[in-house]
Amino acid sequence: MRVGVLGPLVVTDRGEDIVVGGARLRVLLTRLALEAGRTVTADALVEALWPDGGPKDRVHALQALVSRLRRCLPAGPLRSVPGGYALDVESVDAAEFERLARNGGEALRAGDPRLALPLLRDALDLWRGDALADAAGAPFADAAAVRLEALRLSATEDRMSAELAAGAAPGPLVAELEELAARHPLRERLRVLLVEALHGAGRSAEALAVFERFRGVLAEELGTDPGRELQDAYLAVLRAVPQDRVRGNLRAAVTSFVGREEERAWVARRLWEGRLVTLVGAGGAGKTRLATTVATELAGRFPGGVWVVELAPVDEPVEVPRAVAGVLGLRDGTTLAEALSADETLIVLDNCEHVVEAAARLAGELLGTCPGLRVLATSRERLGVDGEALCPVPPLGVPAAAALFAERAAAVRPGFTGDPRTIAEICRRLDGLPLAIELAAARMRSMPLDQLAARLGDRFRLLNGGNRTALARHRTLRAVVAWSWNLLDNAERRFAERLAEFPGTITPDTAARVTGRPDALDVLESLADRSLLQAVEGAEPRFRMLETIREYGRERLAEAGETGRVRAAHAACFLELAERAEPRLRRPEQLEWIPRLAAERDNLLAALQFATERGDAGTAVRLGAALAVFWMIQGDHAEAARRLRTALHVPGRGTVPGDAEAAALGGYLFHTVMSGGDARDDPLIGRLPERAAHPLAALAEPAAALLTGDNAGGLAAIDRRLPEPDPWTRATLYLTRAMLNGNGGEMDAAHEDITAAEAGFREAGERAGLALTLTFAADAQTVSGRFGEAIATLEEAIGLLRTLGQDDAGMQRVMLAVARARSGDVARARDELAAMVAPGAGTPARHLVPVRLALGDLARHAGSTAEALEEYDAAERELDRVPSYPQYRSLLEAARGQLALDRDDPDAARRHLRTALTLAVGAPDIPIAAVAGYATARLRAAADPRAAAALLGAAAVLRGAPDAHNPDVVLVTRPLRRTLGERAYRAARDRGGSLDVPGALALLGDQLQGDQARRR
C-alpha cells in the first residue's frame, strides 16, 4: 500500500486506488502516514482529530474511527500497538521526497551535480499540490506542511544550482528564479542563483542590480548586509570584467594569496559604493598584499589605470604628492588633478602611517576634485578623511594561517607535511600575522617543525630571514614591530611597554592602576588607532595586545629594568579585583561579576603564576581563595584543584592570612572531590583549620572526609558548623552532607539535605550551587522513575548554568538525555548526545567522556555491539586527556564488562568488573560501584540466580535506591524473576538489600572472584 500526502490524499494498493471517505478519516490516515511504521500514541491522534475539544469520550470515538478506517484499507496495514496505533505501508510520498531531496543535496554539495539532478527532479515530481491538503487547518498538518514546503523550496534551489553547475543554459532559469524571488523577498540563496544565472546569460549589469536592490532591502528591513555566498557571487561578476584595457603599475604576484575572502569582498563593494577605503592593521598583518590583490581583481573597472604608490621610502610629508606624480609619470605643468580627472582611476597609497597627515590631505584634495578617482590606502592608523571607510585587517584565523604556513613551507621543502596541531599552535603563537607565518615557514628548509615551535619564545632572533628586496623595516619581524614602536613618543612607548605585561585584555582602569597614568583611556585609544592594540567588543572599553607586540614590549621593559616592579603592580591590581568580586559571587550580584572575572581570566592566572614563581605565598594563597568560588562556577574542577594546590604549597605560610589559607584549602579539597581526584595522602589535609570565618573554610573538613571515606567524621564536622546564618554556607554544607549521606547509602537523609541545600541557594541567589543541587535532585528523580520531574529539574539547572556563561552544561545535558531515554524518548536522547560530539560543538573533554559513555550504552541496549564498542573506545581516548576522573574509568570498565557478557566471554567480563569495582571504591564513589554490581548480577545469573538477585539488592544499597528503571537492571531482573519466581526472587534480593555498605561491597567482591576462588 502507498500513501500520497503531497497534494490531495491518495491511497493505492497494488496499483488500485482506495477511496477513504470522510474528512476526519482522511485526517486520521494523514496523521498516521506522517509517522509510517512508528507508534503514534492515542493521545497524539486524539489531539490531531479534535484539537479544540470534541466528543466527551474521545478515546472511544478514536477507536470507532480506527475501525472505520480499517474497513477502508486492506487487511493488515493498520495495527494496534501498546499505547496507540501504527500504519505499515510500502511508501509515503512525503518520506520518499525527503529521502530523494536529502540524497540529491548531499550529491550536489559533494561536487557531483549530474548525480544530484535526477534525484532532485524525481523528488520534486512527487508534488501534486499543497502538502497535507486533506488535513489543512489541523495544527499538526499546518506545522508539517510548513516544514515540507520549506524543504521543497530548498530542493528547488538545489535543482537549479545543479543545473547551473552541470552546464545547463542559464536563460530559462532566470524567469523561474525571478518568480520565486518575488514570492520570497528575503530568501538570499535565490538571489545568489539569480545573480549567477543572469551573469551566465550575459546579463552582468542586471546581475549587479539584483545584488544592489537586495542589499538595500536587507539594510532597510533587517539592518544587515548580504551573506558571504551572495557577496562572492557579486564579486565574481565584478572580477569577470575584461582585463585587456588595464593600465597602471600593478605587479604580478609570485605567490598565491591565502584567505581574506570576506575582506576582499567587503573592500571591493565599498570601493564600488564609495571612494576611499583604508586598510588598517598591525605591522605584518598583510595590508599591502590584500590591497594589491583587490586592486588586481578590480583593475578592469578602471580605464584610467590602477597605480600603486609606495610611501614607505618617503621621509618628508612634502614628498607625498611628488611620489604620486612620479608613479603616474607626470611631466612638468601637468597637475595631479588634471591627470586623474579624465577616467575612472584607482590609486593605492601604501604604508601611510609615518606621513599620515600629508597622505590624508592629498587624498582629501584629489577626491574632492576628481570625481572618477578612488583611493585604497594602507596604514597602521586611519587617515581621518570625510567619507573614509575603514577595513580592519585582523590576524588570520587558524585554518587560513595554517594553510599559508603549509604552502610556504612546501615552497622551501618540497613534499613538506607536518602535524596539523603543531602548525596550528605555531600560527596561534604568531598571532596569525602573515609576515611572521611566512618567516617561520621559511625556516622549514633547515629546521624540524617541533624545534621551530619550541624556539618561538625567542621569535625575534628566529624570524629574521625576510625578503631581501624589501625595505629593511619590512624584512624581519623585529624590524616590523620596531617601526611601529618608533612612531610613538617617549611617554607612549613607556606606557606600551608596561601594557606588555598584560597577557589578557586591558581596561582603562587596570591600565591606570598598573602604569600609573590617569589618562589611560586616551592613550589606549591612541595605541589602538595605530594598531598596536586591538579593541575588544564588549560593554566597556577593552583592548588586547598581540603576542608578538607584547614580546617586543617586554624586551624593552626588561632592558629598562622595570619588569619586576610592573609585574608586581599587575598582580596587586588583579588580587584587589578578585577579592572585591569574591563575596559577590555568592550572591545575586554574581551575574555582574562572573563576566568581569571571565574577561580577566588570563590576567588573573598570570598574577597567580607571578606570585607562585616569586615565592609570594601571601598573594598566591589570597588569590586562590578569592578565585575558588569563581572556578566552582566555571566547572573545571580538576584544573582549579591543581592551581589551588600549587598556591598552598608556596613556602612562607607566615605571610598568609589565616582565613585566606582556610578558604583556599576548603576550595582545594572541594574541587578535588568534584573532579574525582585522590588527596587521601595529601599533607595539606593535615592543615585543616579548627574554625575559620570564611564560608569556604567550612568545606575543608567535610570535603576531606569525602576524600578519605570518613563519612562519620565529615557528618560530625558539618553538624558542628550548623546551624549557619549565611545562606550560601548553609546550603553548601547541606549539599556536602547530601554527598556524604549518598556515599553511605543513606538516600532518605540525602534527599532531605538536597531539599535544604536548594532552599539555601535560592535564598542566597547563587545560581551555580543551585544548579549543582538540582542536578543531584534530578539524579534521584531519574532513579525513582519520575522522569518528567527529572527532565524539568535538569532543564532548570541547564538554564541557570547558561545564565552564568556555561553554555555547554555538559554533565546536566548528558543526564537529561539519559532521563529522556529511560522515559522512552530514545531517538531524541541520541540526537542530543550526538550533537554534543559533533564537529565544532565545543564540548570540553571532561564532558565528552560521559557523552561517549551514554552513546555507547544506548547502542549496547539497542543491540549494536560494534557501535557501542566504538563509543567506549572514544570515551577511553578522551579519558587519556582527563586522567583525574576515576569514576568515569569505573563506568567504562563496567560497560566493557557488559559488552563481554554480550559476547559470551565471562572471564573478560570478570576482569573488567573487578577493575570497575576497584576504581569506584578508590575514588571513593560508592554509588558508582552499583553499576559494576548490576553487571556482576548478570554475570552470576545463569550459574547462581539467587546470588544474582542478592547482588541486585546489594547494588541497591550502594546506589542508595533500587535503580529499577535502569536498562541494565531490567536486563537481569526479568530473567531472574522468571527463573526463581517472584517470591524467591524478592527473598534473595532482600537478603542482599539488608547489608550495609561494607557488606554489600564485600558480597560484590566475593562474587567477582570466580567459583574456584570462592570454594577455596
Side-chain angles (χ1 to χ4, degrees):
M1 191 175 83
R2 299 173 181 270
V3 179
V5 295
L6 298 179
L9 182 66
V10 173
V11 184
T12 61
D13 180 41
R14 297 180 180 85
E16 298 292 329
D17 289 341
I18 296 173
V19 177
V20 179
R24 211 172 296 280
L25 284 185
R26 290 194 293 272
V27 171
L28 174 59
L29 181 56
T30 300
R31 180 67 182 85
L32 289 164
L34 287 178
E35 296 191 61
R38 298 193 296 269
T39 298
V40 183
T41 65
D43 288 343
L45 292 172
V46 165
E47 181 64 27
L49 292 163
W50 299 286
D52 299 321
K56 184 175 181 180
D57 189 353
R58 294 191 295 176
V59 173
H60 284 94
L62 171 64
Q63 293 172 348
L65 282 173
V66 169
S67 296
R68 288 175 55 196
L69 182 58
R70 280 199 176 109
R71 290 195 292 271
C72 298
L73 303 177
L78 181 51
R79 295 182 291 115
S80 296
V81 295
Y85 301 90
L87 182 70
D88 296 327
V89 295
E90 183 178 346
S91 70
V92 177
D93 59 359
E96 183 70 4
F97 160 73
E98 290 193 48
R99 183 185 66 80
L100 290 168
R102 180 174 60 252
N103 292 343
E106 289 173 355
L108 176 63
R109 283 176 279 281
D112 195 343
R114 296 189 183 279
L115 174 62
L117 263 178
L119 294 169
L120 293 165
R121 286 170 176 163
D122 288 348
L124 292 166
D125 285 346
L126 292 170
W127 285 75
R128 299 167 288 102
D130 294 334
L132 312 180
D134 284 85
F140 84 88
D142 291 346
V146 168
R147 187 180 72 84
L148 288 166
E149 289 289 354
L151 292 174
R152 181 186 190 182
L153 179 57
S154 295
T156 302
E157 291 169 334
D158 282 347
R159 188 260 301 166
M160 291 188 286
S161 180
E163 288 177 349
L164 288 170
L173 290 175
V174 170
E176 183 181 1
L177 281 163
E178 287 176 334
E179 179 186 352
L180 285 171
R183 285 163 44 196
H184 303 278
L186 297 178
R187 184 83 173 186
E188 187 160 315
R189 192 179 179 203
L190 290 172
R191 268 66 186 186
V192 173
L193 293 168
L194 183 54
V195 166
E196 292 175 346
L198 285 167
H199 179 50
R203 299 159 62 180
S204 298
E206 293 176 65
L208 295 174
V210 166
F211 174 88
E212 295 296 343
R213 284 196 302 271
F214 187 64
R215 186 182 63 81
V217 169
L218 288 182
E220 181 177 346
E221 297 195 16
L222 301 179
T224 188
D225 289 327
R228 178 173 170 178
E229 188 179 5
L230 183 53
Q231 291 195 26
D232 286 347
Y234 167 77
L235 191 56
V237 178
L238 289 178
R239 290 171 179 162
V241 176
Q243 304 286 310
D244 55 351
R245 295 184 300 155
V246 174
R247 297 174 54 208
N249 65 339
L250 280 170
R251 295 180 180 179
V254 295
T255 58
S256 65
F257 187 80
V258 178
R260 306 288 191 202
E261 289 84 359
E262 291 184 9
E263 289 91 343
R264 288 160 64 188
W266 189 90
V267 172
R269 181 161 60 82
R270 292 300 299 180
L271 280 173
W272 178 268
E273 299 167 351
R275 301 179 55 213
L276 170 62
V277 176
T278 303
L279 308 182
V280 291
K287 301 181 294 296
T288 298
R289 185 65 191 276
L290 174 59
T292 55
T293 299
V294 172
T296 300
E297 291 172 343
L298 302 183
R301 287 183 42 209
F302 297 101
V306 177
W307 307 91
V308 180
V309 182
E310 297 278 3
L311 295 180
V314 172
D315 295 324
E316 299 296 332
V318 71
E319 297 177 3
V320 172
R322 295 175 190 166
V324 179
V327 166
L328 293 173
L330 299 185
R331 302 188 180 280
D332 293 341
T334 304
T335 67
L336 286 173
E338 290 171 341
L340 296 171
S341 294
D343 289 309
E344 288 198 350
T345 304
L346 174 64
I347 296 289
V348 179
L349 295 177
D350 192 30
N351 291 304
C352 298
E353 55 274 348
H354 61 303
V355 287
V356 66
E357 292 186 4
R361 281 196 301 272
L362 179 63
E365 291 170 4
L366 293 177
L367 289 169
T369 55
C370 307
L373 175 66
R374 283 170 172 77
V375 175
L376 178 58
T378 76
S379 178
R380 300 186 193 184
E381 61 180 299
R382 63 190 179 91
L383 301 187
V385 177
D386 287 346
E388 178 183 29
L390 291 178
C391 177
V393 182
L396 288 173
V398 171
L404 176 64
F405 182 94
E407 181 178 298
R408 299 298 193 261
V412 299
R413 185 195 290 180
F416 167 80
T417 57
D419 176 39
R421 289 173 296 184
T422 304
I423 293 173
E425 179 61 22
I426 289 170
C427 294
R428 275 191 292 268
R429 293 185 61 192
L430 293 176
D431 302 306
L433 292 174
L435 173 64
I437 290 166
E438 292 189 341
L439 291 172
R443 283 288 187 179
M444 287 293 95
R445 65 181 178 271
S446 59
M447 183 179 294
L449 187 67
D450 290 343
Q451 187 177 349
L452 173 69
R455 293 183 59 185
L456 285 182
D458 194 13
R459 67 188 67 196
F460 293 118
R461 289 186 183 179
L462 181 68
L463 307 181
N464 59 4
N467 184 354
R468 292 174 180 171
T469 66
L471 291 173
R473 70 186 62 154
H474 295 156
R475 288 183 192 172
T476 69
L477 190 60
R478 180 185 294 279
V480 168
V481 180
W483 169 246
S484 296
W485 212 264
N486 292 333
L487 293 176
L488 305 176
D489 62 34
N490 288 334
E492 289 170 329
R493 279 196 289 270
R494 286 195 298 274
F495 183 78
E497 287 161 8
R498 292 167 185 169
L499 294 184
E501 285 301 337
F502 282 79
T505 58
I506 307 161
T507 67
D509 179 59
T510 56
R513 286 171 180 266
V514 174
T515 67
R517 286 197 64 156
D519 61 341
L521 176 59
D522 293 337
V523 192
L524 288 169
E525 289 180 339
S526 175
L527 293 178
D529 284 343
R530 283 178 268 189
S531 301
L532 285 167
L533 293 176
Q534 292 182 309
V536 178
E537 292 291 333
E540 62 175 334
R542 191 174 286 274
F543 305 87
R544 181 184 295 279
M545 185 177 283
L546 293 178
E547 185 65 24
T548 298
I549 298 173
R550 278 192 68 228
E551 287 298 320
Y552 185 84
R554 295 178 73 191
E555 281 188 6
R556 299 292 300 270
L557 193 67
E559 291 170 5
E562 291 193 2
T563 298
R565 185 183 64 79
V566 173
R567 289 192 73 186
H570 178 274
C573 169
F574 287 97
L575 172 61
E576 189 276 333
L577 173 67
E579 290 187 329
R580 185 154 41 101
E582 194 276 334
R584 294 168 173 84
L585 294 175
R586 294 179 272 110
R587 301 200 290 260
E589 302 98 291
Q590 66 178 180
L591 288 184
E592 172 191 350
W593 283 89
I594 288 170
R596 293 181 66 175
L597 292 181
E600 302 293 3
R601 176 187 180 277
D602 292 339
N603 289 313
L604 291 163
L605 293 180
L608 181 60
Q609 181 180 358
F610 170 72
T612 301
E613 291 172 352
R614 194 184 194 188
D616 182 356
T619 297
V621 175
R622 285 172 62 192
L623 255 175
L627 293 171
V629 172
F630 173 61
W631 292 331
M632 286 181 190
I633 293 168
Q634 287 194 312
D636 191 352
H637 300 290
E639 183 60 23
R642 186 195 63 77
R643 294 170 189 154
L644 286 162
R645 188 177 191 277
T646 300
L648 286 162
H649 277 288
V650 175
R653 290 177 58 196
T655 63
V656 181
D659 268 12
E661 182 174 16
L665 185 57
Y668 161 64
L669 294 171
F670 187 80
H671 279 294
T672 303
V673 169
M674 294 304 296
S675 67
D678 188 352
R680 284 171 291 181
D681 299 325
D682 195 323
L684 288 173
I685 291 182
R687 286 160 57 174
L688 292 174
E690 292 184 4
R691 187 174 180 93
H694 196 285
L696 276 176
L699 296 178
E701 197 171 353
L706 276 165
L707 290 167
T708 60
D710 182 13
N711 284 17
L715 292 170
I718 292 173
D719 289 341
R720 287 194 298 272
R721 187 84 186 216
L722 291 173
E724 169 63 48
D726 175 60
W728 186 90
T729 309
R730 184 172 68 248
T732 307
L733 287 170
Y734 276 121
L735 179 58
T736 309
R737 192 161 78 174
M739 295 163 68
L740 285 163
N741 278 320
N743 229 21
E746 300 292 336
M747 293 309 295
D748 290 340
H751 294 161
E752 293 177 6
D753 292 330
I754 288 172
T755 301
E758 180 181 344
F761 283 123
R762 291 192 188 278
E763 180 184 347
E766 202 280 283
R767 296 160 181 81
L770 177 57
L772 184 58
T773 303
L774 292 173
T775 303
F776 281 106
D779 181 61
Q781 291 162 349
T782 300
V783 169
S784 63
R786 291 143 48 211
F787 303 120
E789 293 178 41
I791 289 169
T793 301
L794 287 165
E795 287 175 340
E796 182 183 0
I798 292 167
L800 288 167
L801 291 172
R802 285 178 173 163
T803 65
L804 299 174
Q806 286 193 40
D807 290 336
D808 62 281
M811 178 173 64
Q812 290 74 16
R813 289 171 64 192
V814 173
M815 292 176 63
L816 178 60
V818 170
R820 291 196 198 282
R822 293 196 186 174
S823 72
D825 197 353
V826 177
R828 182 172 179 182
R830 186 179 292 108
D831 289 345
E832 290 178 353
L833 292 168
M836 295 179 70
V837 296
T843 304
R846 66 184 185 277
H847 291 155
L848 287 174
V849 178
V851 176
R852 292 294 188 184
L853 287 173
L855 282 169
D857 289 346
L858 288 179
R860 178 165 56 82
H861 297 148
S864 302
T865 303
E867 182 184 344
L869 181 60
E870 184 178 327
E871 294 293 350
Y872 294 148
D873 288 345
E876 186 152 21
R877 289 193 294 272
E878 297 297 343
L879 271 171
D880 292 338
R881 301 167 59 189
V882 284
S884 60
Y885 288 84
Q887 294 96 325
Y888 290 153
R889 287 202 180 273
S890 175
L891 291 171
L892 176 59
E893 289 297 321
R896 290 196 185 281
Q898 293 278 12
L899 273 185
L901 291 172
D902 289 340
R903 295 193 297 265
D904 197 21
D905 188 350
D907 291 337
R910 185 173 285 108
R911 288 194 300 272
H912 286 299
L913 295 175
R914 286 174 186 157
T915 304
L917 180 62
T918 301
L919 288 167
V921 173
D925 195 332
I926 300 306
I928 293 294
V931 180
Y934 307 150
T936 306
R938 183 182 173 200
L939 172 69
R940 298 291 299 148
D944 193 342
R946 284 183 170 78
L951 281 167
L952 286 178
V957 171
L958 301 176
R959 187 66 177 86
D963 199 354
H965 301 274
N966 186 318
D968 288 328
V969 175
V970 174
L971 179 66
V972 68
T973 299
R974 287 176 178 168
L976 285 176
R977 279 194 161 113
R978 287 195 300 268
T979 301
L980 295 172
E982 187 65 26
R983 179 176 297 179
Y985 165 76
R986 287 182 178 273
R989 187 196 62 188
D990 292 346
R991 189 165 59 253
S994 66
L995 299 170
D996 58 9
V997 168
L1001 289 172
L1003 176 63
L1004 180 53
D1006 177 64
Q1007 291 294 320
L1008 282 172
Q1009 293 306 309
D1011 293 333
Q1012 292 182 354
R1014 281 194 301 278
R1015 284 196 294 270
R1016 287 198 299 270

